[in-house]
Amino acid sequence: MYRMAPAPARVLCFLIPALIAACGGGSGSSSGGEAPATATVSASTSTTDTTSAPADQPTTQRDAVRLADQASFGPTEALIAEIRSAGAAKWIGQQFDAPASRYTRGGTSAFHQYTGSGNFCDNRDANCWRDWASNQPLLWDFYRNAVGNPDQLRQRVAFALGQILVVSNREVDGTYGLRNYQNALLDGAFGNYREVLKKVVLSPVMGDFLNNANNDKAAPNENFARELLQLFSLGTCLLNADGTPQGGSCRPTYDNQRVRAYAYALTGWTYPAGGATAWGCWPEGTHCRYYEGDMVPAARYHDTQERTLLGGAALPAGHTAPQALEAVLDSLMQHPNIAPFIGRQLIQHLVTANPSPAYVQRVATAFTSGRHLGIGSGQRGDLKATVAAVLLDAEARGETPGATAGRLREPVLLFTGVLRALRGRTDGDALGWWWGEQMRQHVFRAPSVFSYYPPDYPLPRTALLGPGFGIHNAGSALARLNYVNSVVNWGGVAPSASIPDALGTRVDLSGFEADAADPAKLVDRFSLLALGAPLPSAARTAVINATAAFTPSSSGADYLKYRTRTAAYLVFAAPQYHVIR
Amino acid sequence: MSKPNPPLMMQRRRWLQLAGGTLASALGTAGLSGLMLAPRSAYAADYKALVCLFLYGGNDGMNTVVPTDATRHGQYSSVRGALALPRSSLVGLGGTDYGLHPSLSALAGAWSDGALAPVFNVGPLYRPITKAEYRAADASSSLVPDSLFSHSDQQALWEAASTDALTRTGWGGRAAEVLNTTNPVISLGSGGGRFGLSSLNAALGLPDPGQNFGVDGHTAADLGWAPVAARKAALDTLYAQAQDNVMLEAYAQQQREAFATSQRLAPIVQAQPGSAAASALIDQAFAPLIVNGQLSTPLAKQLYQIAKLIANNATVQGNRQIFFASQGGFDTHGNQIAYGNALQGTHAGLLKQLGDACAAFHQAMKNLGMGPQVTLFTQSDFGRTFKPNNSSGTDHAWGNHQIVLGGAVKGGATYGTYPTLALGGPDDVGVDSWELQGRWIPTTSVDQYAATLLRWFGADDGQLGAILPNLGNFSQRTLGFL
């Protein structure tokens, strides 16, 4: 295999028949005879060996920055160099094997073992609520990990999954429980979607968030069952494999009877043992609230009647709660909706808000077949295969995304992107209650199970969807610029004594100052880092002029520092930075 | 049924939109409205404001407005069980057979003013539908609104006054466009979903009192220094360029508008209670909700902002303005009430915040002498099941009761038709044993509700038809509460 510059993969696949197998074409591919559009071609991928690394396939600056924006929390000069020399496929393979981040900070399960007459935080320090009940310790870990840890892709995928399979500290307290939930998403990000879904169904945190803990067969509530179908697996409308609605308009995936059938089937789960309160555990036959471990069956509350699940799957009478759970999960995994419904959202979270139907279909195929370019276990729901399909698709790779490509750089990725690019550090604290709330993306505190914004939010004045625009308005538009200003021009946020291992939130521009004597060079360096390409001509000139306006006579010995700040501010404030393409 | 053709005014707007975003940028801050025909003077120099208050999650209307006559309260109590509010606890709506949840006691004054009215059993409808028609309809029939019982879809249907969940505009946005208001819908809090979207604009989303609303580092004083002025010039250049990517251009255009809007509105937006730019008349009205100089609830902050923007309408510009505020947390599947006490708990807490903030807002409008010029109205995803579940909560339903508030409201009466309180009865969607929860088929549509508000706001029949495409399916266009 010789090294070559990346070329449109379709061209390669037609011109070089020997590579068609590696292109994923041939028998068994549900995309028919057309070679699927992937940008990497490697003869070393075999269909069974998922551990042999693809060969190096150097790529361009622009493509590397695109991949960094898709698969990490933002490009750094070092990461760009890594991706440029390895190429997308090899880098992604390395990311699959990178040591995994975890959440570790915050209180323990003692939070739900308090048997005093008041509240757990009585007679504890002023930070008790923050450290034992709230999402803050997780948020600290999230941002530290996102800015500095090497398993960037795993974290991005877990972050995406966490915006589909939502729990929120707005309605559920207990740091240790939220931590267990988010760790499960990190652990499962490269596993199988069925396993992730099972952990979610059995999570006592989810059991409280959507009221399935202690759900009673005598009159079950419908909350979890409905959102399991609507948000976590299938969606409300029947879909073709390419994500478009069957029949061209919304034909319901399920009706209320089906929701109630699932609600009944999912009754009879209670918290794991270990919790305690001053008044014992109620109702009878259940455990006290406790978030350490999975929910356990509470047979007396489990409805055992026959239920017809989706896809005609039957759940014969006399079942136990665990048997019903397996039947529920099987019915969802087998439903034709799940691959496009989940696949499309992963594309939206990682790459672009308006994927072509063909792109969605290619990703759905990877989800269904469990394999993509030799990556994956071959089991339906394989997330490695799905993620590889998302990132290696022609619509994700290359130099020239189309006029309708792109996604808004959501606030979390703005926060981390600027910090990573500009060699910054954070303990996360300023990015939750302050910046996170201002821009309406406070991690682990989504407003509801519907996450921060809907996947189908319309972008006004266009025919496109713009999910991120659901939390974007005049106030947040200016806040974006003000965040960049805060860290670049105003020194960021100083470390606070009340935060363990405090770092504050700040960037380090000193390594860029060396190029400040040449404003054009400086501006281009920031542009290549942030955008993968220089700014458009008129914009570039204006930014260079603004950078050059700081001279020894205007600003004394610090003029190079001010030039560096100005160039960084303008590049990271540019619209090209905020809409990722 | 096909939608009626939009009137000529809307078609002209669309043409200008297609002509290119650069046209808007060439016009600078005034946007496209300056090019439109002069507004027809059905409304003249007077000022009117509509305030949409969206209760996200699905407010339990059945415990918000409750029958007080012995028979129906008996039926109510027997089905509601532990969730039933005792008759004696209700805030009586004198002259009617209804009372409000006790947590809404702050609104008793508005009722005595004749400024409050409940509107019963409102929901998305394509046209009036009987229970038999509903049950006979195919799952994909256009007669049945899309995805009933789904939060996101029902929010979209209420916000859009539509039965098609893919509608890309909201009725507030369409009203602003058709009525040619100076500003788009102004939204506070977490934003308006689709309500304020029009084909030309997103809603203008503004921050809470005290929050920064401007570009840091570019104050007038800062700009006196040449390097900072050069930096601002570069920023403007970055955003002035037309972009060849659709999303990028839309983003840049929104940013240009944000720059312009912040210059005009920042002082008003930022004013906190007691500050120099605040209004004493508004502060007095909100005094019960001001703690240490700050508004004490999220809804109070939003309504306080709206009150300021109404008081300062000369700076905000325009004599017709639609606002959007919201309150979340209403999805009470479990623990809707406190253990053993229906008067306390989650729903009670939400309604207390609602009632107190709305009462303060109403008082502020009275203090400003603008009571009859401002109408506040609620919307919500859907009502909740009449019959509770075993988690001390309720599940998703359909028709719901709303509240309208303002000096122009023909209060002291109720509107719409209260459902028959029978599980599986004529108003309940269900007949099967598994579906006897009391989910009411609406007897009044969102379109009729919105038309009543918009007619008062100044829309004529043609404009109503353009804003509310399904309105023609209902023989009674307006409901009489304004």
Side-chain angles (χ1 to χ4, degrees):
Chain A
M1 181 66 193
Y2 54 92
R3 292 176 183 229
M4 61 177 127
R10 268 202 194 82
V11 174
L12 286 172
C13 290
F14 283 120
L15 291 180
I16 310 174
L19 293 170
I20 282 181
C23 292
S27 65
S29 165
S30 62
S31 61
E34 179 190 273
T38 57
T40 57
V41 185
S42 169
S44 65
T45 50
S46 68
T47 53
T48 52
D49 180 4
T50 61
T51 59
S52 72
D56 280 343
Q57 277 225 277
T59 186
T60 64
Q61 180 82 9
R62 177 80 179 103
D63 186 51
V65 169
R66 288 190 76 201
L67 182 60
D69 276 331
Q70 293 157 357
S72 82
F73 284 86
T76 67
E77 287 179 326
L79 178 61
I80 293 170
E82 219 181 286
I83 296 174
R84 284 193 69 170
S85 86
K90 177 165 180 173
W91 183 81
I92 289 167
Q94 289 167 342
Q95 283 288 296
F96 286 146
D97 295 334
S101 292
R102 301 217 95 223
Y103 297 104
T104 57
R105 287 171 205 268
T108 69
S109 59
F111 183 72
H112 283 143
Q113 293 171 322
Y114 176 75
T115 53
S117 57
N119 292 314
F120 177 82
C121 280
D122 295 348
N123 306 315
R124 285 182 173 255
D125 70 64
N127 290 320
C128 176
W129 194 254
R130 181 194 73 182
D131 295 342
W132 289 80
S134 87
N135 65 319
Q136 293 307 299
L138 268 72
L139 181 148
W140 299 333
D141 280 347
F142 175 91
Y143 279 109
R144 286 177 195 261
N145 297 346
V147 171
N149 283 10
D151 63 332
Q152 290 286 300
L153 180 57
R154 178 184 292 273
Q155 294 181 59
R156 273 296 295 273
V157 173
F159 180 50
L161 291 175
Q163 293 175 75
I164 299 170
L165 306 163
V166 181
V167 294
S168 174
N169 181 229
R170 282 220 203 177
E171 291 171 39
V172 178
D173 291 324
T175 306
Y176 78 105
L178 299 169
R179 185 173 64 230
N180 290 345
Y181 187 92
Q182 297 300 334
N183 274 333
L185 293 183
L186 276 174
D187 291 344
F190 294 149
N192 191 288
Y193 195 72
R194 189 185 194 281
E195 290 309 304
V196 175
L197 212 47
K198 184 169 178 177
K199 285 300 273 185
V200 166
V201 177
L202 291 178
S203 161
V205 175
M206 176 59 78
D208 271 351
F209 185 56
L210 293 184
N211 307 113
N212 203 44
N214 297 346
N215 205 3
D216 180 356
K217 67 179 180 183
N221 76 73
E222 302 166 359
N223 197 7
F224 180 71
R226 188 179 294 283
E227 310 309 351
L228 172 67
L229 297 180
Q230 175 163 349
L231 297 176
F232 300 166
S233 59
L234 307 181
T236 49
C237 306
L238 289 171
L239 301 175
N240 297 312
D242 64 4
T244 55
Q246 276 188 29
S249 65
C250 184
R251 289 161 51 192
T253 312
Y254 50 84
D255 59 13
N256 243 22
Q257 181 176 16
R258 204 64 47 220
V259 171
R260 289 188 69 74
Y262 276 80
Y264 276 107
L266 291 166
T267 53
W269 292 96
T270 186
Y271 307 101
T277 74
W279 312 278
C281 307
W282 296 99
E284 259 190 56
T286 68
H287 292 138
C288 289
R289 174 169 288 125
Y290 197 58
Y291 293 161
E292 203 68 73
D294 293 339
M295 289 203 288
V296 298
R300 69 195 275 175
Y301 296 103
H302 178 68
D303 176 272
T304 60
Q305 291 178 68
E306 179 188 0
R307 298 287 166 189
T308 305
L309 304 178
L310 288 167
L315 181 58
H319 50 81
T320 64
Q323 287 167 341
L325 172 59
E326 296 301 324
V328 161
L329 292 172
D330 287 343
S331 73
L332 301 178
M333 291 304 296
Q334 286 159 17
H335 195 288
N337 260 38
I338 194 167
F341 184 71
I342 297 299
R344 187 165 203 279
Q345 288 182 79
L346 287 176
I347 297 173
Q348 288 183 307
H349 277 290
L350 298 182
V351 177
T352 185
N354 295 273
S356 70
Y359 183 9
V360 175
Q361 180 146 4
R362 293 188 286 268
V363 171
T365 299
F367 183 98
T368 305
S369 69
R371 210 184 281 290
H372 186 74
L373 293 183
I375 298 166
S377 62
Q379 284 201 301
R380 178 189 292 268
D382 192 283
L383 286 170
K384 274 190 192 170
T386 310
V387 168
V390 169
L391 296 174
L392 296 176
D393 197 274
E395 280 181 40
R397 302 271 48 80
E399 298 282 295
T400 50
T404 61
R407 63 186 298 270
L408 187 64
R409 187 181 299 269
E410 62 206 277
V412 166
L413 297 181
L414 171 64
F415 304 152
T416 61
V418 174
L419 292 172
R420 283 172 55 83
L422 300 180
R423 306 180 180 185
R425 303 193 306 164
T426 185
D427 52 28
D429 198 55
L431 304 175
W433 284 105
W434 183 247
W435 288 109
E437 284 290 324
Q438 251 194 74
M439 299 191 49
R440 299 208 240 120
Q441 196 175 35
H442 183 166
V443 293
F444 312 132
R445 275 189 68 90
S448 78
V449 68
F450 286 81
S451 193
Y452 304 101
Y453 47 75
D456 58 355
Y457 193 78
L459 178 60
R461 305 190 182 106
T462 75
L464 301 182
L465 300 180
F469 287 84
I471 52 172
H472 183 68
N473 61 23
S476 69
L478 302 178
R480 283 172 174 266
L481 305 186
N482 293 343
Y483 170 75
V484 179
N485 178 71
S486 162
V487 293
V488 169
N489 290 322
W490 288 1
V493 176
S496 158
S498 74
I499 307 301
D501 308 318
L503 296 171
T505 296
R506 28 186 46 166
V507 298
D508 178 4
L509 296 175
S510 58
F512 298 94
E513 260 180 63
D515 288 330
D518 180 348
K521 184 174 183 197
L522 179 67
V523 169
D524 285 340
R525 181 174 174 187
F526 282 129
S527 303
L528 288 167
L529 166 56
L531 313 174
L535 284 165
S537 172
R540 177 176 178 274
T541 300
V543 174
I544 290 171
N545 289 345
T547 303
F550 292 92
T551 62
S553 56
S554 77
S555 321
D558 286 336
Y559 82 104
L560 293 172
K561 183 165 71 176
Y562 291 122
R563 283 188 175 183
T564 309
R565 290 182 184 178
T566 297
Y569 171 75
L570 288 169
V571 170
F572 285 89
Q576 289 82 357
Y577 184 67
H578 292 266
V579 176
I580 304 172
R581 288 145 301 124
Chain B
M1 179 178 289
S2 61
K3 297 184 179 176
N5 291 325
L8 187 59
M9 188 178 285
M10 271 175 77
Q11 289 169 333
R12 278 174 59 103
R13 281 179 174 272
R14 255 189 211 101
W15 174 82
L16 282 164
Q17 174 199 350
L18 291 168
T22 49
L23 189 59
S25 51
L27 293 171
T29 63
L32 295 173
S33 50
L35 281 185
M36 290 291 102
L37 297 169
R40 288 177 256 177
S41 52
Y43 44 90
D46 65 320
Y47 175 89
K48 282 186 178 164
L50 278 173
V51 181
C52 177
L53 172 51
F54 206 108
L55 309 178
Y56 281 113
N59 175 44
D60 181 28
M62 293 303 287
N63 263 15
T64 303
V65 189
V66 182
T68 50
D69 55 281
T71 307
R72 288 189 303 166
H73 192 274
Q75 293 168 334
Y76 158 86
S77 294
S78 77
V79 172
R80 278 256 142 156
L83 267 63
L85 298 162
R87 271 167 92 185
S88 56
S89 72
L90 298 167
V91 177
L93 298 177
T96 75
D97 282 330
Y98 297 94
L100 298 177
H101 190 295
S103 293
L104 293 173
S105 56
L107 290 174
W111 178 261
S112 328
D113 285 353
L116 182 74
V119 187
F120 295 133
N121 202 16
V122 190
L125 284 174
Y126 179 71
R127 63 155 173 77
I129 188 173
T130 64
K131 178 167 178 166
E133 288 173 312
Y134 172 76
R135 300 207 55 79
D138 182 76
S140 324
S141 162
S142 58
L143 203 52
V144 178
D146 281 352
S147 300
L148 287 173
F149 317 114
S150 151
H151 282 293
S152 52
D153 296 280
Q154 296 308 300
Q155 288 164 14
L157 296 194
W158 268 92
E159 290 163 1
S162 170
T163 53
D164 173 4
L166 298 179
T167 307
R168 290 177 61 100
T169 58
W171 70 261
R174 293 196 299 273
E177 187 174 343
V178 168
L179 297 174
N180 195 20
T181 60
T182 303
N183 298 308
V185 170
I186 291 178
S187 75
L188 281 304
S190 60
R194 268 155 249 249
F195 179 77
L197 288 179
S198 72
S199 63
L200 293 181
N201 280 308
L204 173 55
L206 298 178
D208 281 345
Q211 283 205 19
N212 190 17
F213 186 50
V215 180
D216 287 341
H218 287 178
T219 64
D222 298 320
L223 294 172
W225 192 32
V228 175
R231 186 173 76 201
K232 179 181 187 302
L235 193 63
D236 289 340
T237 303
L238 284 167
Y239 280 93
Q241 289 192 303
Q243 309 289 347
D244 55 7
N245 176 281
V246 176
M247 186 179 286
L248 187 54
E249 173 58 23
Y251 174 81
Q253 192 170 9
Q254 284 192 356
Q255 197 76 303
R256 293 193 291 269
E257 288 164 7
F259 291 151
T261 306
S262 70
Q263 284 175 354
R264 184 155 54 98
L265 298 184
I268 303 171
V269 164
Q270 285 167 326
Q272 289 264 55
S275 68
S279 153
L281 295 170
I282 297 176
D283 286 359
Q284 277 165 30
F286 278 85
L289 297 172
I290 296 173
V291 176
N292 295 330
Q294 306 263 328
L295 280 310
S296 57
T297 70
L299 183 58
K301 288 178 182 166
Q302 295 173 64
L303 294 182
Y304 182 85
Q305 285 295 58
I306 292 173
K308 273 193 288 175
L309 293 163
I310 290 173
N312 287 281
N313 64 79
T315 306
V316 177
Q317 293 173 24
N319 65 343
R320 289 292 183 276
Q321 184 64 55
I322 302 174
F323 294 95
F324 184 93
S326 64
Q327 186 185 356
F330 284 89
D331 191 28
T332 49
H333 286 277
N335 304 311
Q336 179 169 324
I337 58 166
Y339 186 72
N341 184 356
L343 304 184
Q344 299 297 326
T346 305
H347 194 226
L350 291 167
L351 290 182
K352 176 106 177 50
Q353 189 183 156
L354 172 69
D356 290 355
C358 287
F361 179 76
H362 177 60
Q363 186 61 47
M365 294 302 105
K366 285 168 65 176
N367 289 358
L368 291 170
M370 295 180 76
Q373 294 167 264
V374 181
T375 301
L376 181 149
F377 61 97
T378 63
Q379 302 203 143
S380 191
D381 317 15
F382 33 59
R384 304 194 75 83
T385 49
F386 180 38
K387 179 173 179 233
N389 55 45
N390 263 24
S391 307
S392 296
T394 47
D395 297 295
H396 301 178
W398 186 0
N400 199 10
H401 312 316
Q402 309 300 334
I403 305 256
V404 292
L405 171 67
V409 170
K410 299 193 166 96
T414 67
Y415 298 86
T417 308
Y418 197 80
T420 301
L421 294 178
L423 299 177
D427 289 314
D428 187 353
V429 300
V431 296
D432 303 295
S433 61
W434 52 265
E435 178 62 294
L436 296 179
Q437 317 302 118
R439 305 185 220 251
W440 311 128
I441 302 170
T443 42
T444 295
S445 73
V446 175
D447 314 83
Q448 294 166 300
Y449 183 65
T452 311
L453 295 158
L454 290 171
R455 165 67 58 75
W456 166 81
F457 194 63
D460 63 29
D461 279 347
Q463 292 168 319
L464 286 178
I467 298 165
L468 304 168
N470 289 342
L471 184 63
N473 300 343
F474 301 90
S475 56
Q476 183 190 2
R477 290 160 76 82
T478 61
L479 304 173
F481 57 78
L482 276 170

